[in-house]
């Protein structure tokens, strides 16, 4: 089930939003964010809505709604689904007018909610991509911009052709950045829990930050530092964090088989427990 709020009304199905001359369709001026509703709980909803406003500004757009207005719409939309539904929440801001530069005041907003059960704590496979994340002076890497995902999907297509589910991407300096569509954590050879430090080449995930904080509260300090690709071959755990799957273990990297280990498992448990408090 898809449910979209656009132009003042809720509509089911794949609602048409664009015209052939709209700036977003023609030149990629759109941003979105992803949040979740899980059985009526809305973990970290406001940070996701705050980020869509920030992302809009970084692309020369202007979100027509405030965080409070978007939150009210989200809650209204969630109430239209069964109480036990697990949903993906996607606010979208897109440009309509402008020749090369979008007219910020003409930005439009749509909110789509759709059924998306939380994936089970099952493993996925990943390989190292030949493609790299762009530098901040090459692309709007500090925004959740739709246009950036062409890079991600290209890396994932490459991984699929090699028989893997997901790709791990490096930054321009040759260090590990993230998975193609989610942030990355490892348990290093020395037992440290590590995630690549923020360097502007990938988005600072809201779920990433939450997992770091939850583990810290348990006495597990996560190191944020540069991660060399060689460390992926000696890590005892590799796992991802992101809005769609929250915490998901990588159980095969290249030709290595890994366990869905205790750190990833505990991070998932802590996140789900946190969700119940929201």
């Amino acid at each position: 089930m898809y449910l979209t709020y656009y132009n003042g009304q809720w509509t089911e199905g794949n609602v048409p939003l664009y015209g052939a001359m709209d700036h977003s369709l023609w030149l990629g001026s759109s941003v979105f964010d992803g949040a979740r509703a899980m059985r009526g709980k809305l973990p970290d909803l406001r940070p996701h809505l705050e980020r869509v406003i920030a992302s809009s500004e970084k692309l020369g757009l202007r979100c027509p709604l405030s965080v409070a207005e978007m939150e009210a719409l989200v809650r209204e939309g969630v109430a239209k689904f069964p109480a036990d539904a697990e949903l993906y929440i996607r606010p979208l801001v897109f440009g309509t007018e402008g020749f090369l530069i979008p007219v910020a005041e003409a930005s439009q907003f749509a909110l789509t909610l759709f059924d998306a059960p939380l994936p089970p704590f099952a493993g996925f496979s990943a390989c190292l991509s030949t493609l790299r994340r762009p530098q901040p002076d090459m692309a709007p890497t500090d925004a959740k911009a739709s246009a950036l995902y062409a890079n991600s999907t290209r890396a994932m297509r490459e991984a699929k052709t090699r028989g893997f589910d997901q790709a791990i991407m490096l930054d321009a300096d040759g260090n590990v950045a993230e998975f193609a569509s989610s942030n990355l954590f490892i348990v290093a050879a020395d037992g440290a829990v590590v995630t690549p430090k923020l360097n502007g080449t990938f988005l600072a995930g809201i779920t990433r930050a939450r997992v770091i904080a939850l583990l810290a509260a348990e006495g597990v300090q996560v190191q944020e530092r540069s991660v060399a690709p060689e460390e992926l071959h000696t890590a005892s755990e590799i796992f991802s964090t992101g809005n769609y799957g929250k915490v998901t273990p990588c159980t095969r990297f290249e030709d290595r088989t890994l366990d869905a280990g205790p750190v990833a498992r505990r991070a998932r448990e802590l996140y789900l427990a946190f969700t119940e408090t929201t």
Side-chain angles (χ1 to χ4, degrees), residues 151-174:
N151 189 34
S152 300
T153 58
R154 191 168 61 143
M156 286 189 281
R157 293 199 314 270
E158 178 190 61
K160 292 287 187 184
T161 63
R162 291 185 53 199
F164 293 89
D165 301 316
Q166 184 55 275
I168 294 176
M169 304 186 73
L170 306 183
D171 61 24
D173 295 325

Side-chain angles (χ1 to χ4, degrees), residues 30-34 51-52 55 88 90-93 144-146 149:
S30 65
V31 300
F32 70 100
D33 218 288
R51 189 169 65 182
V52 81
S55 293
Y88 194 98
R90 195 205 64 192
L92 174 74
V93 177
K144 198 168 176 67
S146 304
Y149 281 76

Side-chain angles (χ1 to χ4, degrees), residues 184-246:
L184 179 146
F185 287 70
I186 66 170
V187 178
D190 63 359
V193 183
V194 180
T195 192
K197 68 178 182 180
L198 302 177
N199 61 6
T201 64
F202 62 95
L203 208 59
I206 291 167
T207 305
R208 172 187 181 274
R210 179 61 62 188
V211 166
I212 290 172
L214 291 170
L215 287 172
E218 288 265 302
V220 179
Q221 297 301 316
V222 177
Q223 297 179 12
E224 297 184 71
R225 62 166 173 80
S226 296
V227 176
E230 293 77 20
E231 294 185 76
L232 300 170
H233 295 281
T234 57
S236 60
E237 292 186 46
I238 303 175
F239 61 95
S240 75
T241 62
N243 180 59
Y244 182 74
K246 295 308 180 185

Side-chain angles (χ1 to χ4, degrees), residues 13-50:
N14 189 19
V15 179
L17 302 179
Y18 303 123
M21 287 297 291
D22 278 8
H23 197 278
S24 54
L25 183 65
W26 186 23
L27 293 174
S29 59
S30 65
V31 300
F32 70 100
D33 218 288
R36 266 199 172 276
M38 292 187 282
R39 301 171 304 282
K41 305 296 185 180
L42 297 164
D44 284 324
L45 175 61
R46 289 185 72 88
H48 285 286
L49 301 179
E50 290 164 356

Side-chain angles (χ1 to χ4, degrees), residues 225-277:
R225 62 166 173 80
S226 296
V227 176
E230 293 77 20
E231 294 185 76
L232 300 170
H233 295 281
T234 57
S236 60
E237 292 186 46
I238 303 175
F239 61 95
S240 75
T241 62
N243 180 59
Y244 182 74
K246 295 308 180 185
V247 181
T248 312
C250 174
T251 53
R252 181 164 69 99
F253 170 66
E254 297 286 354
D255 59 354
R256 290 188 67 214
T257 299
L258 300 99
D259 291 329
V263 177
R265 193 174 301 278
R266 185 59 180 150
R268 169 96 163 197
E269 292 169 352
L270 290 170
Y271 190 89
L272 294 179
F274 160 73
T275 296
E276 293 303 312
T277 70

